[in-house]
Structure formats: C-alpha cells, structure tokens
Amino acid sequence: MSHDLQFWNNIERKLKNAHALFPFGLRGQGCSLLIAESRFYSAISVGIKEQYGRIAFNRPEKYNCINIDTFQEIPVALRKLDEDVNVKFAVLTGEGKFYSAGNDINNFSYIYGSEDGTEMSRKVIDNFVKAFIEFKKPLIAVCNGPAIGISATTLALCDAVWASDEAYFLTPFTKLAQGPEGCSSSTFPKIMGSALASEMLLFNKQMSAQEAKDCGLVSRLISSKNFEEEVNSMLKEIADLPPQAMLLGKSLVKNQAQIDHLLETATAENYGLKERWESPECKARFMK
C-alpha cells in the first residue's frame, strides 16, 4: 500500500472511532468538556460554549494552513454540531494570528503521490465544501486574521462573516495554476459583482477587511484592539435567540433551490480542480 493511501486510511479510521465513542457528542456549557473528543482532531479544536459550537483551525505555527487532516476533520465537526440538539449555531475561527492561510502546499505530495491521487483529493475537497453548504444551523465565520484560498472562498457559504480590521482576503488561484473553489465562481459575483470577483479569482487581488466589508463579503468589521471581547459579547447575544426561529430564517434565506445550485457549483468546480491538477501547467508548478 502506498504511503499516501495509508495516510488517508489512518485518518478515516481515527474519525470513525471518534463517532463510535461519542455518537451524540458531549454536552455542556464549557469548551473544556469536549477535551475527550477533541483528542481525535489533530488539526482543529472543537468545543461547545453557551449553546454554540466553536471550531477553530488549530495549526497556528503553520498559519492554520489546511492540510489533509483539516480537510477531513472540519466536515466531521460540522456534522456533529449540526446533529447536537444543544447547539444553536456554530462559529468557525482560527487560533493565533491567521484565520487560515489556505491549502497546505504539502498536500500536493499526496495529489501526485499515487495514480488516483487527483480523484481522491477531489473527493476530499468535495466533502469539505459540501459540509458548509449542507450545514442547517447558522454558521458564523470569525476572521481573526487573514483568510487565503479555500478558507476565503468558503466564507461566502457562511451566514455571517465577522472580521478583524487587520484581516485581508486573497484567492491566488491562477498564480498557482488552480481554478476557483468553495463555490466562489457563483458566490463571489453574486456578492461583489462580476468585475471585482474577477479581480479576486482571476487576477489574485488582495482585498482588505474594509474592502470586504464594503462589497458585502464581510458583515461586521471589528477593531483588532478589542476583537475577542466584542466577538464574545455578540456571540452571547445570539446564543439567547430562539433556535427554531433561526433555523426557519436560514431555511428561507438559503432555500433548497439555492442549496442545490451550490452543490452543483461545488461539483463542477472540484472536477475543474482535478483537471487543473492533471494539467501540464499545474504539474510544472508543483512537481519540481
């Protein structure tokens, strides 16, 4: 068995064990009560606090770049929180100074490490993006710092995006011989208009937090000086809202027709990524 296939099988086995041991999640008011389950996550931290779930990219020494573990663990955590009756909504954030630096370049060693590496990787990206699309409860992205690549594009799949005024947003896909991902080929033009979306997705424009707020990608801009305090205060207010009312509101704002369109977009984008990975352009960029 090749090294990369062994690696993927080990990750899948570990996460299946987490489901077996904690099929309904752990309940409680403090994040510390999820320590037992969190040991099954190597790239993220997961907890429940004041009736909301908190997932954090947890590789601060690597600027929270998304490795294969992260791609597999985020969907597991989202689905478990979606099923937990004591969780009203979820928050996705990053530990340290970055929200996430996007795809870990080392992932390309797995993409090109076996004959079916591109197809395996397409399936993992597909599962990752569709977990955002299918999350039924309100999902708030709290950008404590820069968001790059797929961590920036999936912001548009969240129901609200709060950002530090020191954050920035970058999708350097063409620079890396890649294509749009995270449904950004659909969501970005809808949110910010086709011209600005093209600047982001085709020409690698870096967008400031203020620009993101002005164009609608970010819903709330928060001063970095008291970022954590303001975020916690706002989350506490939302935790007091009736959960069924929020579920109904989300189901109307993002109805089934929209969800189906996003799922179709994700599928098309991810097959496009597979084609990119198999292209001479992309191979020349990463197979050095």
Side-chain angles (χ1 to χ4, degrees):
M1 182 182 291
S2 65
H3 171 71
D4 65 312
L5 192 55
Q6 277 185 324
F7 181 84
W8 286 58
N9 286 341
N10 288 339
I11 292 294
E12 291 172 348
R13 191 178 305 115
K14 179 180 67 173
L15 296 177
K16 285 178 182 178
N17 288 339
H19 278 297
L21 287 173
F22 303 100
F24 304 108
L26 294 178
R27 312 292 194 240
Q29 295 298 312
C31 289
S32 62
L33 295 180
L34 278 183
I35 283 178
E37 185 177 2
S38 291
R39 76 177 185 269
F40 292 97
Y41 300 106
S42 64
I44 63 175
S45 60
V46 184
I48 298 174
K49 182 179 181 181
E50 296 178 352
Q51 297 183 290
Y52 66 85
R54 181 183 184 273
I55 302 172
F57 296 107
N58 193 24
R59 302 179 72 214
E61 74 286 353
K62 299 290 186 180
Y63 304 104
N64 294 326
C65 63
I66 302 174
N67 62 5
I68 292 177
D69 286 12
T70 317
F71 275 122
Q72 295 217 10
E73 292 172 7
I74 290 283
V76 170
L78 283 171
R79 287 167 182 143
K80 288 174 74 67
L81 291 174
D82 218 9
E83 295 167 0
D84 193 322
V85 296
N86 289 341
V87 172
K88 293 183 176 182
F89 64 96
V91 173
L92 183 60
T93 189
E95 304 290 3
K97 295 182 178 180
F98 266 61
Y99 177 75
S100 171
N103 197 4
D104 189 333
I105 297 300
N106 291 324
N107 290 339
F108 283 89
S109 66
Y110 295 101
I111 291 174
Y112 296 127
S114 68
E115 185 176 347
D116 59 349
T118 57
E119 175 60 14
M120 289 168 62
S121 299
R122 182 199 66 78
K123 289 179 178 178
V124 167
I125 297 287
D126 209 57
N127 184 53
F128 179 83
V129 173
K130 289 179 179 179
F132 283 79
I133 298 169
E134 294 171 339
F135 192 74
K136 295 180 176 62
K137 296 174 182 176
L139 179 60
I140 302 171
V142 177
C143 295
N144 53 301
I148 299 172
I150 197 166
S151 73
T153 56
T154 49
L155 294 176
L157 299 176
C158 298
D159 301 295
V161 181
W162 304 348
S164 163
D165 56 9
E166 293 185 350
Y168 62 81
F169 307 90
L170 178 64
T171 54
F173 299 139
T174 56
K175 187 176 182 180
L176 299 173
Q178 305 289 294
E181 57 194 11
C183 295
S184 56
S185 62
S186 175
T187 58
F188 274 26
K190 182 178 179 181
I191 290 169
M192 62 187 70
S194 60
L196 188 51
S198 294
E199 290 282 351
M200 291 283 290
L201 299 175
L202 305 185
F203 308 136
N204 311 296
K205 172 183 169 57
Q206 180 172 305
M207 180 179 284
S208 69
Q210 186 61 60
E211 287 177 303
K213 175 66 168 63
D214 292 343
C215 78
L217 180 62
V218 166
S219 53
R220 300 194 195 190
L221 198 58
I222 305 168
S223 171
S224 59
K225 295 179 180 178
N226 53 350
F227 183 78
E228 187 172 348
E229 179 182 335
E230 286 199 33
V231 166
N232 287 337
S233 176
M234 292 187 293
L235 290 175
K236 189 173 182 179
E237 289 182 11
I238 294 174
D240 288 334
L241 297 174
Q244 294 304 315
M246 288 194 289
L247 283 174
L248 174 62
K250 175 164 181 172
S251 71
L252 295 173
V253 171
K254 186 178 288 184
N255 60 41
Q256 191 59 49
Q258 292 172 308
I259 291 171
D260 291 342
H261 171 70
L262 290 171
L263 291 172
E264 291 173 5
T265 300
T267 297
E269 287 182 349
N270 296 333
Y271 274 107
L273 283 175
K274 181 185 177 184
E275 291 179 7
R276 287 279 77 217
W277 296 330
E278 295 172 351
S279 71
E281 282 184 339
C282 194
K283 288 181 178 179
R285 176 65 179 80
F286 292 104
M287 294 180 69
K288 296 180 180 179

